[in-house]
Amino acid sequence: MKKSLLLASALLTATSAFAATDAAKYEKFTEGEKSYTFTNRWLTCLNQNPAVWENTPLLKSNDGATCRTACIYNDMIIIGNSAKGSLLKFDLASGEYLGAVQLTVNGENLSGTLCANQVGVDDYNNLYVASFASDLLKNAQTLYTVDLATGVMTPQGVIDIQASENLTAASYRVDYFNVIGDITGKENIGQYVAVPATAGLAAIRFTKAKGTDTWVGAFEGDPVWYIDSDAPIETYPAGITDWGTAPVAKFVKDEEFTGETFYIDGFTSCPSLYNMSGAMIGGFNQIVKEEQPDVIIPAVGTNGVAELSIKSDNFVVYSLNQYVNPNPCMAQIGYFGEGFEYSEMKGLWSFPEGGMGLLSDGGVRIHGLDTRKYTDKNGKEGVYITTFKCCNGLGVYVLAEEGFEDPNGAVEGIEIDDVDAAPVYYNLQGVQVANPENGLYIVKRGNKVTKEVIRK
């Protein structure tokens, strides 16, 4: 049987079988005695395997623009379909599509405008979901936990800002929010943060005490802080007057879940760290390009940020751009070491190489970046990082100590020769083929996937 390799760099697969990798070689990073590797577990996207991506449930039936937020839950990636009120499930290690779960409230299918717009997981492994809030001055936002086996949603209290003394805007729209601690209040305190769209430079903070059911304002008892023109809030770039459409906020976690520090990442600004009084205490305003040439300053008009740590070292992953060059739907890893100063941050890997795509979803959506840490049997740590941009792509990367044995069986930082591994053939629909005839096939050898032409 004669075979010729074709387009080895354009790896292709189908989610019914396995997902391709991005075919990039990400160099090891070494700092002193510490070495870290960064690898792609799998990637399905418009730029690199469009035939597969266009056949995923994330794009079928024109759902692309309504699938917005993603999170890691147990061994799955969960994505909310905000139009259909359902959750899509993907295997975290392989990318295999595992089906959809219809959400229900009081026995009725969840419905309404952007009804499953935000999905997330708190620190007690509670999967939560909420609709976007068109205006918190008119209607409170109800938070729910979800039983993924049944789709049943259980209310966990409401976010209601109408009693605030700091209301100065005409409306308070919230698309995305973040929760740390325990959203149920059963095991620990819960914390909620959001920043409203085009409502000036406001932020919304609530807390739920352990053993209670009620969310209360967390800015000295008020749910809203607002910095007026007499004491303007610092932003990057400077002079921003509101956060733009559908901004995001994300807590910096601490052991006690105090929520005293959080990121604000608007569609008019870059990710910046703020404290409870509204002071900007860190961010890209501190970057000196001449001294930090590898740090890419993100474009305004995109948002998505998450922090992670491995042992005593701190990292951040953030979105670089939306649907335009350079860096289309890409993210970068920043390294702080044991500190947390942006003036000391090093820019490491930008991923995926070539970007995920340039297809606008018709709006300004969140870049879904989520993390989950694992510790192997030898005590080495690795972090799974999801990257999701609606209409453009979904994938998983692993940042780890060199030699980390991840849950998928691979060892980070060790080169594996797959040339002699037994080939497994799939057709372009992802169905395994025992005896391939002439044609184009997807071929898996060990942990490598290629697209090959078979000629007998």
Side-chain angles (χ1 to χ4, degrees), residues 34-37 308-315 335 337-338 349 373-374 379-385 398-402 404:
K34 304 172 184 177
S35 291
Y36 296 102
T37 60
L308 56 143
S309 64
I310 295 179
K311 298 290 175 61
S312 60
D313 279 351
N314 299 311
F315 301 80
Y335 172 78
E338 296 185 5
W349 308 279
K373 183 188 293 186
Y374 295 91
K380 291 183 178 293
E381 294 182 349
V383 178
Y384 269 47
I385 301 171
V398 180
L399 169 59
E401 294 182 87
E402 186 176 19
F404 167 74

Side-chain angles (χ1 to χ4, degrees), residues 92-365:
L92 178 63
S94 70
E96 179 183 1
Y97 177 56
L98 303 176
V101 176
Q102 177 62 52
L103 298 172
T104 63
V105 180
N106 298 323
E108 301 290 332
N109 286 351
L110 180 65
S111 61
T113 304
L114 306 181
C115 57
N117 204 53
Q118 174 75 66
V119 297
V121 179
D122 70 10
D123 294 282
Y124 285 80
N125 206 40
N126 294 303
L127 178 64
Y128 61 81
V129 65
S131 68
F132 103 115
S134 60
D135 186 356
L136 286 178
L137 291 179
K138 296 178 180 178
N139 296 291
Q141 182 184 47
T142 302
L143 309 182
Y144 296 90
T145 51
V146 178
D147 182 335
L148 194 60
T150 63
V152 173
M153 301 166 60
T154 301
Q156 300 296 340
V158 298
I159 301 300
D160 187 351
I161 68 170
Q162 295 186 57
S164 173
E165 297 180 357
N166 293 329
L167 298 175
T168 59
S171 65
Y172 287 79
R173 167 177 168 164
V174 170
D175 288 68
Y176 310 114
F177 62 88
N178 183 224
V179 171
I180 60 171
D182 182 5
I183 194 173
T184 71
K186 295 178 180 178
E187 301 293 330
N188 208 327
I189 191 173
Q191 304 280 7
Y192 167 106
V193 66
V195 284
T198 62
L201 298 178
I204 298 169
R205 279 273 285 106
F206 280 84
T207 187
K208 176 190 277 191
K210 181 180 177 180
T212 67
D213 297 322
T214 304
W215 294 93
V216 298
F219 289 119
E220 298 181 352
D222 197 293
V224 178
W225 61 245
Y226 189 92
I227 309 300
D228 61 27
S229 58
D230 293 332
I233 189 171
E234 188 179 3
T235 62
Y236 183 79
I240 301 301
T241 58
D242 64 57
W243 305 120
T245 304
V248 300
K250 205 154 200 177
F251 284 113
V252 176
K253 293 183 181 180
D254 57 72
E255 293 182 356
E256 302 298 324
F257 307 120
T258 63
E260 292 182 349
T261 306
F262 50 92
Y263 276 97
I264 295 178
D265 189 6
F267 280 104
T268 56
S269 63
C270 296
S272 300
L273 282 167
Y274 292 87
N275 62 19
M276 295 283 281
S277 66
M280 188 168 74
I281 57 176
F284 289 93
N285 64 314
Q286 298 173 339
I287 298 295
V288 180
K289 286 297 292 181
E290 294 79 7
E291 300 175 6
Q292 300 164 273
D294 294 327
V295 175
I296 301 175
I297 304 295
V300 298
T302 188
N303 60 13
V305 61
E307 290 182 348
L308 56 143
S309 64
I310 295 179
K311 298 290 175 61
S312 60
D313 279 351
N314 299 311
F315 301 80
V316 66
V317 54
Y318 58 94
S319 179
L320 292 178
N321 213 337
Q322 288 221 78
Y323 326 107
V324 295
N325 288 312
N327 312 314
C329 298
M330 292 176 64
Q332 183 173 48
I333 303 289
Y335 172 78
F336 296 103
E338 296 185 5
F340 213 91
E341 297 294 330
Y342 270 78
S343 60
E344 302 294 330
M345 187 177 79
K346 296 181 180 180
L348 302 184
W349 308 279
S350 299
F351 65 98
E353 284 191 1
M356 287 195 288
L358 293 166
L359 179 61
S360 173
D361 57 10
V364 280
R365 313 299 186 205

Side-chain angles (χ1 to χ4, degrees), residues 355-416:
M356 287 195 288
L358 293 166
L359 179 61
S360 173
D361 57 10
V364 280
R365 313 299 186 205
I366 192 173
H367 189 150
L369 299 167
D370 198 19
T371 64
R372 174 65 63 89
K373 183 188 293 186
Y374 295 91
T375 303
D376 71 10
K377 62 183 179 182
N378 300 312
K380 291 183 178 293
E381 294 182 349
V383 178
Y384 269 47
I385 301 171
T386 61
T387 178
F388 171 57
K389 200 68 170 70
C390 56
C391 292
N392 288 276
L394 172 66
V396 168
Y397 290 75
V398 180
L399 169 59
E401 294 182 87
E402 186 176 19
F404 167 74
E405 298 183 27
D406 81 13
N408 203 27
V411 179
E412 299 301 325
I414 298 178
E415 295 294 331
I416 301 174

